[in-house]
Amino acid sequence: MRQAIALGIAVLAVMWVQWSGGPVPPGSAATALALGFTLLGGALVGDVLGRFNLPRLTGYLLFGAIAGPYLGNVITESMAGQLQIVTGLATTLIALVAGLTFSIDRLGTRLRAITGFAAITLAVLVTGLATAAWLAWPWLPIAPEAGPMARLAMVALLAVMAASFSPTMTAAVITETGARGRLSELVLAVVVIADLVLLVAFSLALAFARYDTAAVNDAGILARLLWEIGGAVAVGVFVGAVFALYLRYAGREVPLVLLAVCALLTQVGSTQQFEPLLAAVAAGLVIENLSIAQGEALRAAVTRGATPVLILFFAAVGASLQLDAVATLGGVALAAAALRLGLVRLGTILGLRASGLDRASGGYAWTGLISQAGITLGFASVVSAEFPGWGQQMQTLIVALIAVNELTGPILLRHGLAQAGDLATGPPRPLVVVSNREPYLHRTTPDGGIAATAATGGVAVALDALMRERGGVWIAHGAGDADHLVVDSRDVVRVPPQQPAYDLRRLWIEEPLFSAYYGGFANEGLWPLCHQVDVRPQFRHEDWAAYRTVNARFAQTIDDELSADGPVFIQDYHLAMVAPELRLRRPAVRTALFWHIPWPHPDRLRICPWHREIVTGLLSNDLLAFQLERDRLNFLAAAGEDPEADVELEASRVNYRGRHCSVVAVPIGVDYDRIQELAASAGLEAEQSRLRELLGLTAGIVGVGVDRLDYTKGIPERLDAIDRVVRLRPELRGRLTFVQIAVPSRSELESYSAIEAEVGARVAEINARHAVPGRPPLIRYHTTALSTASLVALYRMADFCIVSSLHDGMNLVAKEYVAARGDDGVLVLSAWAGAAQELTDALIINPYDVDGFAAALVRAVEMPADERAQRMRAMRRIVAGRNVFSWASDILEGLESLWTRPLHYAVRGLEGTSV
């Protein structure tokens, strides 16, 4: 509405200037008036069409045509002339963006076949269009009286322009429909390869047309042509390399610098007489392939910098159109569009036969080669400017052809994607989640019934919500004693029990195989290996064999359940070897693995006898995610030790045996909204009363620690610090109660049974030392798990929370405590917990420094209310902005985006800016 009002005011202002009879503002004032009015109006009309899933560029053209001198005359002929100043810059920018959409590396082994397919299709199309144009030339309203050589030059230009495609218009349809598959990849690659070839062909045809009547000998023409093409490529490569270095090492004001690059190429091309479009494409190719790691910054720069320029360009083209001529050419345009469609179909049929590409999907490739847009208009504008007579007539015909193809192209492509199976018929791409632990367990009750229990961890809750939305199958080990009683013949049960939304496929792992895989290699080997604590990793050959066997079983189960090549999301260190086993069965499957625990330094990793196998196994994933930047860098360093691995540090990608694995750091979050709902629920006070009675919380100061009973959590160090606090501040005896929730796990392992015994003895000792008659004990030790609602109630009661991990991937307790609090409470957080990287307003401690730890606890107890509120508000903003759903979404979107690379500039951020 505000845009519409602003446009109305601008229209009235321009019309008032015209009707007042005063002089038209001269020079820069006229230019400013034309540019401002056109930018505002074109953007508004483009947005309106975009809401109806129509190309925005059509809106820009439409606005220019309606407001231009041949219809509304709001943009007068003199104003339309002022708009032409952006033509050179815009056409260069269009060519640069086309270069940015092409990454040779991403096409990999399919590059040769796709290039062959594109070459044959293009050869058939250009030859057919040129032949038809030559034969029909006397009836075409361009220059029927032209001599044979001039006619040949014009036909060549017309055929090249009519054959060109639109990479981002094609990509916009694919993005809008959520299409994923081989047809999407093929079409996106072909349109860019074809347009790159056509740019060179256009340069040759343009040179031929320029020299048709020039008094220059053949040697001079050849030398000039070599300079126009060779010089353009050389300058483009140089400028692209400089810009890529600037983007990597400076990266400031990128949109402005990008436009400056385009202006430089345009100006140098004009003064040095080489083809700026070809130079721009060469620059774009260099920038794309040298600046992969800066892709987001470059994509944002193109979106912000390109859009205003292209609005002005398309509107200027629309304003320059003689609408009566366009209407007259409607029949010719329809005939040309029909001919072009037939030639595209013929070319793709011959291309498929020669290239050996998959016919099931490639048979519909023609549907993605219909749309035309910015590249074609750029060609037409150059010809119109170079040859004002017949060039303008040719531009009018090309615009009419574009109008027809823009109406039919998106519709045909949607049909082709559906027929090729690239469009999901139900929810978008059902998900496969794979984990050792299942989201729901079924257990027998004392009365002989069966009860379903949901997992309480933040990750399980988030993935469960994601699965409810997307559907699919969750594959996990069945650990409940009644799990086998509720599954069907395929070992599947629908969950959640109250409102089934997805399948839970249970995998049965018998003893002693499970103990060797889970208790042995995973938790006596990998767990202590990845955590910097004083527990020696134990690696046994029989455990490694069991680990490989179980991972192969998971892979086989995924293969059984995966109906199509949908995304597979694998969880954690238990399943590091699933991807390579799955890849043997499903070479094209897309997998992501999130490694929840720390990744060790390469020197420590070498303790594991099979560290190379684990690293290469993880590289079989398409996307590998860690909690922290430190873990990502450690993994890349470990991968770099393999001589067959090519590590691209800037791109955070590893190329290994013909495959690419992107390695990212995506810190996990908690279900912030759910915790906030529980904190504000009506039943909170009742639950707090129950906990006070259960735990005997009568002291004025309450602290809390919530952990799985594990030697990495620093519980003994925590108890020592509390003991030291009360020794130093004896007046806190009887006034302070610390609640330690420590749920036993893996008790069958010696290292875990030892920590259980140590913590129990230490609690008894400290409570005895600081006992006050008639007052509650210093430490309340509770070994039973609490529900999420109970934990939130406890967090709300606690004045401070301690997370004292000796080494932790993240530790969600820290974020849960922050999410549950209002503007109060203090978080005491270990520097060795991953959460410390984000929650810098916590009191950061070294759990090995008992005196420093104790000092931090005293500060937590005595901290002023305003400081507590300030710190908690800052941390709550971080936790709220990075919840567990955004974590899962980031990983899955990263995995899904791999389907549309190498054309990620076309797919994300440029949907409304077609080239």
Side-chain angles (χ1 to χ4, degrees):
M1 179 58 71
R2 292 179 180 177
Q3 288 179 313
I5 294 173
L7 178 60
I9 294 173
V11 170
L12 292 176
V14 172
M15 296 178 70
W16 178 79
V17 169
Q18 296 174 359
W19 293 341
S20 65
V24 177
S28 59
T31 302
L33 180 63
L35 293 179
F37 173 67
T38 305
L39 185 60
L40 177 62
L44 178 60
V45 177
D47 286 344
V48 171
L49 266 66
R51 293 175 185 176
F52 294 95
N53 294 324
L54 294 173
R56 284 183 171 84
L57 77 84
T58 303
Y60 309 152
L61 282 167
L62 185 63
F63 173 78
I66 294 174
Y70 299 102
L71 192 61
N73 201 34
V74 179
I75 299 177
T76 63
E77 189 170 353
S78 61
M79 291 174 65
Q82 297 291 340
L83 292 177
Q84 297 303 319
I85 65 172
V86 302
T87 298
L89 177 64
T91 52
T92 304
L93 180 60
I94 289 169
L96 180 72
V97 174
L100 288 174
T101 60
F102 190 76
S103 172
I104 297 172
D105 183 60
R106 281 288 178 182
L107 288 177
T109 57
R110 301 184 68 203
L111 178 60
R112 176 177 293 183
I114 293 175
T115 303
F117 174 83
I120 293 173
T121 302
L122 199 56
V124 171
L125 179 58
V126 173
T127 303
L129 289 172
T131 302
W134 181 269
L135 295 175
W137 191 259
W139 298 277
L140 292 180
I142 298 176
E145 74 289 347
M149 294 303 295
R151 176 175 169 184
L152 182 61
M154 296 177 193
V155 165
L157 282 171
L158 181 62
V160 169
M161 288 189 289
S164 60
F165 308 112
S166 171
T168 51
M169 183 60 70
T170 303
V173 174
I174 292 173
T175 303
E176 175 195 344
T177 58
R180 299 289 188 272
R182 289 192 172 273
L183 177 59
S184 307
E185 291 180 328
L186 174 63
V187 166
L188 283 167
V190 167
V191 293
V192 173
I193 292 173
D195 273 358
L196 293 177
V197 174
L198 287 171
L199 273 164
V200 177
F202 178 76
S203 299
L204 294 171
L206 193 62
F208 181 38
R210 286 169 178 164
Y211 295 117
D212 172 52
T213 58
V216 183
N217 58 39
D218 292 343
I221 293 176
L222 180 61
R224 185 59 178 272
L225 185 60
L226 289 174
W227 166 244
E228 286 191 354
I229 296 178
V233 172
V235 172
V237 168
F238 174 76
V239 172
V242 172
F243 181 80
L245 291 174
Y246 174 84
L247 188 64
R248 178 177 297 183
Y249 296 110
R252 294 177 179 273
E253 302 297 337
V254 178
L256 184 61
V257 176
L258 181 71
L259 293 178
V261 166
C262 294
L264 174 67
L265 291 173
T266 304
Q267 183 63 28
V268 173
S270 174
T271 57
Q272 300 302 315
Q273 297 185 325
F274 62 73
E275 181 52 58
L277 294 183
L278 191 56
V281 171
L285 283 168
V286 172
I287 295 167
E288 156 63 11
N289 289 278
L290 291 182
S291 304
I292 296 174
Q294 290 77 33
E296 288 294 337
L298 185 56
R299 188 157 46 242
V302 172
T303 303
R304 292 196 298 267
T307 302
V309 175
L310 297 181
I311 290 174
L312 292 172
F313 170 64
F314 291 132
V317 172
S320 66
L321 292 179
Q322 298 182 26
L323 297 182
D324 54 345
V326 174
T328 303
L329 290 173
V332 178
L334 286 172
L339 173 64
R340 184 177 181 274
L341 175 60
L343 291 171
V344 166
R345 293 207 64 174
L346 176 61
T348 55
I349 292 171
L350 297 177
L352 283 175
R353 291 177 180 175
S355 64
L357 290 171
D358 177 28
R359 295 193 179 187
S361 57
Y364 296 97
W366 65 272
T367 63
L369 305 180
I370 306 303
S371 292
Q372 295 180 295
I375 283 287
T376 313
L377 267 180
F379 288 162
S381 295
V382 171
V383 172
S384 177
E386 289 271 350
F387 311 101
W390 60 265
Q392 290 180 351
Q393 297 296 324
M394 191 174 290
Q395 181 189 38
T396 303
L397 176 59
I398 289 297
V399 170
L401 177 63
I402 290 174
V404 175
N405 288 330
E406 283 302 285
L407 290 174
T408 58
I411 298 172
L412 289 172
L413 180 54
R414 285 185 178 92
H415 171 74
L417 293 169
Q419 293 298 312
D422 280 24
L423 300 184
T425 56
R429 301 191 68 78
L431 181 64
V432 177
V433 170
V434 190
S435 65
N436 176 76
R437 186 183 181 191
E438 56 186 337
Y440 295 91
L441 291 87
H442 288 84
R443 301 186 186 278
T444 54
T445 59
D447 60 2
I450 297 176
T453 304
T456 57
V459 178
V461 170
L463 290 175
D464 175 60
L466 192 67
M467 291 294 288
R468 294 186 197 207
E469 177 185 350
R470 293 187 59 155
V473 58
W474 188 320
I475 299 171
H477 163 58
D481 59 9
D483 279 356
H484 64 288
L485 299 177
V486 298
V487 296
D488 61 16
S489 59
R490 293 174 40 244
D491 294 324
V492 170
V493 60
R494 295 284 292 174
V495 291
Q498 300 82 6
Q499 194 174 3
Y502 64 91
D503 290 344
L504 172 58
R505 168 69 188 274
R506 284 175 168 146
L507 188 67
W508 314 114
I509 308 175
E510 70 279 3
E511 290 290 358
L513 183 65
F514 180 76
S515 293
Y517 141 76
Y518 180 76
F521 192 81
N523 288 310
E524 286 189 308
L526 291 180
W527 180 268
L529 175 74
C530 294
H531 291 85
Q532 302 278 6
V533 291
D534 295 329
V535 174
R536 182 178 180 179
Q538 298 181 37
F539 293 105
R540 295 176 285 266
H541 282 272
E542 57 270 26
D543 293 346
W544 170 243
Y547 186 86
R548 294 296 302 267
T549 299
V550 171
N551 275 242
R553 285 194 189 180
F554 271 99
Q556 182 59 59
T557 305
I558 297 170
D559 185 42
D560 294 341
E561 295 295 326
L562 198 60
S563 58
D565 288 334
V568 178
F569 192 12
I570 305 169
Q571 303 299 311
D572 224 355
Y573 64 101
H574 313 91
L575 305 174
M577 303 303 293
V578 167
E581 293 287 347
L582 180 60
R583 196 72 59 194
L584 297 175
R585 300 165 174 82
R586 299 264 188 153
V589 70
R590 298 282 177 165
T591 66
L593 185 143
F594 188 80
W595 190 272
H596 291 258
I597 65 176
W599 183 268
H601 188 274
D603 291 340
R604 183 172 177 84
L605 181 65
R606 283 191 288 271
I607 294 173
C608 176
W610 303 282
H611 66 278
R612 287 189 182 275
E613 289 86 343
I614 292 172
V615 170
T616 57
L618 291 172
L619 289 176
S620 295
N621 292 281
D622 297 282
L623 186 70
L624 179 61
F626 294 94
Q627 298 274 21
L628 303 177
E629 182 69 6
R630 171 199 66 202
D631 302 325
R632 183 187 71 86
L633 293 175
N634 280 344
F635 179 83
L636 291 176
E641 294 186 347
D642 191 316
E644 295 186 70
D646 177 20
V647 178
E648 301 177 14
L649 289 176
E650 290 290 339
S652 193
R653 187 176 63 185
V654 182
N655 306 320
Y656 182 75
R657 295 182 179 178
R659 286 194 51 79
H660 309 290
C661 177
S662 295
V663 185
V664 297
V666 187
I668 196 169
V670 297
D671 189 352
Y672 180 85
D673 291 337
R674 174 62 175 157
I675 292 173
Q676 285 280 296
E677 288 176 5
L678 292 172
S681 66
L684 179 71
E685 292 186 4
E687 181 60 21
Q688 287 179 328
S689 297
R690 187 187 73 82
L691 289 173
R692 284 192 186 94
E693 184 176 351
L694 173 68
L695 301 172
L697 300 181
T698 59
I701 303 172
V702 175
V704 67
V706 180
D707 306 89
R708 183 173 52 81
L709 196 45
D710 191 292
Y711 53 79
T712 65
K713 302 303 180 181
I715 299 175
E717 289 76 9
R718 183 182 311 170
L719 298 176
D720 288 345
I722 293 171
D723 177 53
R724 183 65 59 90
V725 167
V726 181
R727 286 172 180 262
L728 295 174
R729 302 288 295 273
E731 69 273 14
L732 292 175
R733 293 176 181 173
R735 295 179 48 222
L736 168 65
T737 296
F738 183 77
V739 180
Q740 177 61 62
I741 309 295
V743 181
S745 67
R746 308 169 189 168
S747 300
E748 68 279 2
L749 302 181
E750 181 180 348
S751 55
Y752 285 84
S753 59
I755 194 69
E756 289 180 29
E758 179 183 358
V759 170
R762 193 76 62 91
V763 168
E765 175 189 345
I766 292 173
N767 281 340
R769 180 181 302 124
H770 301 292
V772 176
R775 302 296 297 170
L778 176 60
I779 299 171
R780 289 289 191 182
Y781 186 42
H782 192 75
T783 58
T784 302
L786 298 180
S787 68
T788 303
S790 297
L791 283 175
V792 170
L794 183 58
Y795 290 145
R796 297 284 293 185
M797 296 163 62
D799 299 288
F800 64 91
C801 175
I802 302 178
V803 174
S804 55
S805 306
L806 304 181
H807 198 194
D808 223 332
M810 178 55 62
N811 196 299
L812 293 178
V813 169
K815 294 187 175 184
E816 288 174 354
Y817 178 74
V818 171
R821 299 297 302 183
D823 290 344
D824 200 3
V826 180
L827 175 62
V828 181
L829 180 59
S830 168
W832 312 122
Q837 302 285 323
E838 298 178 273
L839 305 180
T840 55
D841 282 281
L843 296 182
I844 306 298
I845 53 98
N846 177 356
Y848 294 99
D849 176 11
V850 64
D851 289 324
F853 196 162
L857 293 180
V858 171
R859 185 180 176 190
V861 170
E862 298 178 346
M863 184 178 292
D866 58 344
E867 183 180 354
R868 294 198 305 268
Q870 181 181 359
R871 287 174 176 269
M872 190 56 67
R873 278 196 295 267
M875 291 189 290
R876 200 166 60 250
R877 281 194 296 269
I878 293 171
V879 174
R882 186 72 196 172
N883 64 31
V884 72
F885 299 104
S886 64
W887 162 81
S889 182
D890 282 353
I891 292 175
L892 292 172
E893 285 182 8
L895 180 62
E896 293 276 4
S897 71
L898 296 175
W899 287 87
T900 52
R901 289 182 178 180
L903 306 177
H904 52 276
Y905 293 103
V907 175
R908 300 184 64 188
L910 296 177
E911 293 87 346
T913 309
S914 299
V915 298

